[in-house]
């Protein structure tokens, strides 16, 4: 697991306070309802495994590419990364860009997969 700096953790904690964090089971329900899954991990991570039908836009290119993939800012979006931090930052950024229905999976893909094995 990646070791994060105190500054990064403070930044992500602030983003989590400004955004909606949902459980993996809540994410599964929303995905089943047709919400768009936005995987903000790097391409190499995405290629190692991802949620079915997820759109991959890495956190580093999100601001430049999101409008191409999701032009309708009212689209319900479920963000995630590997562990929940980059996903929270992405959800926060999307809200700043005007997206109105954005959530992040608490614990990221790891928690989502752990839920599947229970």
């Amino acid at each position: 697991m990646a070791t994060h700096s105190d500054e990064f953790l403070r930044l992500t904690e602030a983003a989590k306070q400004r955004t909606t964090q949902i459980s993996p089971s809540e994410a599964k329900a929303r995905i089943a309802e047709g919400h768009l899954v936005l995987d903000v991990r790097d391409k190499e991570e995405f290629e190692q495994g991802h949620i079915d039908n997820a759109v991959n836009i890495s956190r580093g290119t999100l601001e430049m590419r999101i409008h191409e993939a999701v032009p309708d800012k009212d689209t319900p979006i479920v963000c995630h990364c590997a562990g929940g931090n980059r996903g929270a930052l992405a959800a926060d950024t999307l809200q700043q860009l005007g997206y109105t229905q954005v959530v992040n999976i608490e614990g990221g893909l790891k928690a989502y997969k752990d839920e599947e094995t229970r």
Side-chain angles (χ1 to χ4, degrees):
M1 186 168 158
T3 303
H4 301 302
S5 70
D6 290 343
E7 292 85 1
F8 177 76
L9 293 175
R10 276 194 296 276
L11 189 65
T12 60
E13 190 55 39
K16 288 176 183 179
Q17 297 301 314
R18 292 188 296 267
T19 56
T20 302
Q21 306 298 302
I22 62 170
S23 69
S25 58
E26 172 78 13
K28 289 177 198 300
R30 289 179 184 226
I31 293 166
E33 292 171 3
H35 293 209
L36 182 130
V37 180
L38 180 61
D39 187 327
V40 299
R41 297 175 301 148
D42 292 337
K43 181 180 178 186
E44 299 77 25
E45 293 173 282
F46 182 81
E47 289 173 349
Q48 292 175 6
H50 55 270
I51 297 171
D52 289 343
N53 301 314
V55 173
N56 178 228
I57 301 176
S58 72
R59 174 70 192 95
T61 62
L62 183 63
E63 295 86 348
M64 294 180 292
R65 297 185 49 219
I66 189 62
H67 70 280
E68 297 166 3
V70 188
D72 180 357
K73 293 187 176 187
D74 292 324
T75 300
I77 300 173
V78 176
C79 290
H80 80 84
C81 60
N85 291 319
R86 288 175 290 172
L89 292 171
D92 193 34
T93 296
L94 290 172
Q95 287 181 171
Q96 291 175 45
L97 292 172
Y99 288 85
T100 61
Q101 298 187 62
V102 183
V103 298
N104 180 51
I105 301 175
E106 197 168 26
L109 186 60
K110 181 182 182 329
Y112 187 90
K113 285 184 174 180
D114 287 349
E115 177 99 358
E116 287 180 345
T117 60
R118 290 184 196 166

